[in-house]
Amino acid sequence: MADLDKYVSLCEKLRSNKVLHKHMQWIFLVITVTGSLLKEMQLLPDWYFNNKRNVLNVYFVKLAWGWTLWLLLPFISISNFYISKKDPVFVLQRLSSLLVGTVVWYTCTHFFVFIEDLTGACYESESMDVIKMDYSSKLACKKSGLFWRGYDISGHSFLLAYSTLIILEETALMSDLKNISQRPPESVRAIVSVFYIALNVLVVIWIWMFFCTSVYFHDFTHKLCGTSFGILAWYVTYRIWYQKPFSPGLPTRQERKVMPNQRRYLQNSD
């Protein structure tokens, strides 16, 4: 347990940086602009991470929402269970934020596909000399071994930014578990610590792969749109809707308005 506490403290120390804590959304936009400039100027050489078959892209980014959901689900469940004095209703309320996130992910990714189909056309080759009028969707075009060209909003830029911002929001209450009057058993704290560390490792992977996407893939506006959708989805939920009644509510102990139904738990834990 001592080793886990050491790594948890390290994660908390790294996250205590005010720039990272308060301005991560702007950091993503800066990475998008800077990375796109580097891509256009071709200043960085080809290497392992500009190959779409790299291990992080194949086994993590392609399954990004699954990884985010799988690690956040137990973390939110256990941490909020003890912070709320074992109130299952409160836990279910907080878990509903993952349902909202899943709806956002599904809606946005399908909207991106719709836009690409709406604005695109099927070509015989990447040279785009011969257009194939028989195909009206990217899926059908690709299945026939042809080349589709449309407005391809970056799903990676969207999902990596959105997932990172959600993880940072939901794991911000880790320090609360050390201060509540009824601390969870050591075995439970160990489990929560493992998931907390794993989520922070995931954040590092997401930010790194976001940078690689910005530097090596997509056009600038495609990445800017994808990133903006991710930031907007996070902002509308966590900074507007979740601060109101009849919502999943905010993770506790945030540096902003605390919801009435959360205030009593915070007072009991002091």
Side-chain angles (χ1 to χ4, degrees):
M1 186 66 192
D3 289 338
L4 285 176
D5 287 340
K6 180 176 68 175
Y7 289 116
V8 167
S9 297
L10 177 61
C11 291
E12 290 180 328
K13 184 177 180 180
L14 292 173
R15 290 178 50 154
S16 65
N17 184 290
K18 290 185 178 180
V19 174
L20 178 65
H21 180 64
K22 294 184 176 181
H23 305 295
M24 194 65 229
Q25 67 274 25
W26 302 115
I27 293 174
F28 279 126
L29 289 173
V30 169
I31 293 174
T32 298
V33 174
T34 305
S36 297
L37 286 173
L38 291 173
K39 179 177 181 291
E40 292 301 319
M41 297 170 68
Q42 298 182 336
L43 293 179
L44 297 180
D46 289 343
W47 69 317
Y48 180 71
F49 284 103
N50 76 323
N51 184 339
K52 292 182 179 181
R53 301 301 301 172
N54 73 76
V55 65
L56 292 183
N57 191 58
V58 173
Y59 294 105
F60 284 88
V61 177
K62 295 289 187 183
L63 306 169
W65 186 245
W67 279 105
T68 302
L69 201 63
W70 179 70
L71 292 176
L72 275 179
L73 183 61
F75 178 84
I76 293 174
S77 300
I78 300 171
S79 59
N80 283 276
F81 181 70
Y82 283 96
I83 284 176
S84 68
K85 306 291 185 180
K86 302 181 180 181
D87 185 341
V89 175
F90 181 80
V91 174
L92 289 174
Q93 178 188 358
R94 291 274 36 266
L95 282 174
S96 65
S97 64
L98 296 182
L99 177 61
V100 172
T102 301
V103 171
V104 169
W105 161 74
Y106 183 87
T107 302
C108 286
T109 52
H110 280 71
F111 175 71
F112 298 163
V113 172
F114 170 75
I115 292 297
E116 189 173 9
D117 285 344
L118 185 67
T119 60
C122 189
Y123 297 90
E124 198 169 80
S125 67
E126 291 191 22
S127 63
M128 295 188 293
D129 295 327
V130 180
I131 190 170
K132 309 292 287 187
M133 301 300 296
D134 298 334
Y135 300 92
S136 59
S137 71
K138 179 180 178 179
L139 182 62
C141 178
K142 289 284 190 179
K143 278 185 176 181
S144 298
L146 302 172
F147 179 77
W148 184 270
R149 181 70 174 181
Y151 195 81
D152 183 17
I153 299 175
S154 176
H156 284 183
S157 295
F158 157 73
L159 188 53
L160 295 175
Y162 184 54
S163 295
T164 299
L165 291 169
I166 287 180
I167 292 172
L168 292 177
E169 291 281 358
E170 294 293 347
T171 55
L173 51 66
M174 185 63 182
S175 60
D176 294 1
L177 292 174
K178 302 175 183 178
N179 302 320
I180 59 178
S181 56
Q182 298 181 5
R183 298 184 68 183
E186 185 171 317
S187 59
V188 174
R189 285 191 289 119
I191 293 171
V192 174
S193 295
V194 168
F195 279 107
Y196 178 75
I197 295 167
L199 283 162
N200 279 277
V201 170
L202 202 62
V203 164
V204 173
I205 294 174
W206 289 169
I207 294 174
W208 169 248
M209 293 307 292
F210 183 92
F211 171 77
C212 291
T213 298
S214 298
V215 171
Y216 289 112
F217 303 103
H218 289 283
D219 294 338
F220 169 63
T221 60
H222 299 169
K223 290 176 286 192
L224 184 62
C225 283
T227 304
S228 298
F229 268 98
I231 293 172
L232 181 63
W234 158 77
Y235 187 85
V236 169
T237 50
Y238 283 87
R239 294 299 172 91
I240 299 178
W241 181 31
Y242 290 2
Q243 301 211 28
K244 301 182 183 300
F246 307 108
S247 75
L250 290 169
T252 57
R253 200 74 74 173
Q254 298 281 16
E255 294 181 358
R256 50 184 180 270
K257 178 181 172 184
V258 178
M259 304 229 355
N261 63 334
Q262 293 175 324
R263 188 173 290 113
R264 60 190 177 96
Y265 300 127
L266 294 178
Q267 292 170 344
N268 289 337
S269 68
D270 290 336

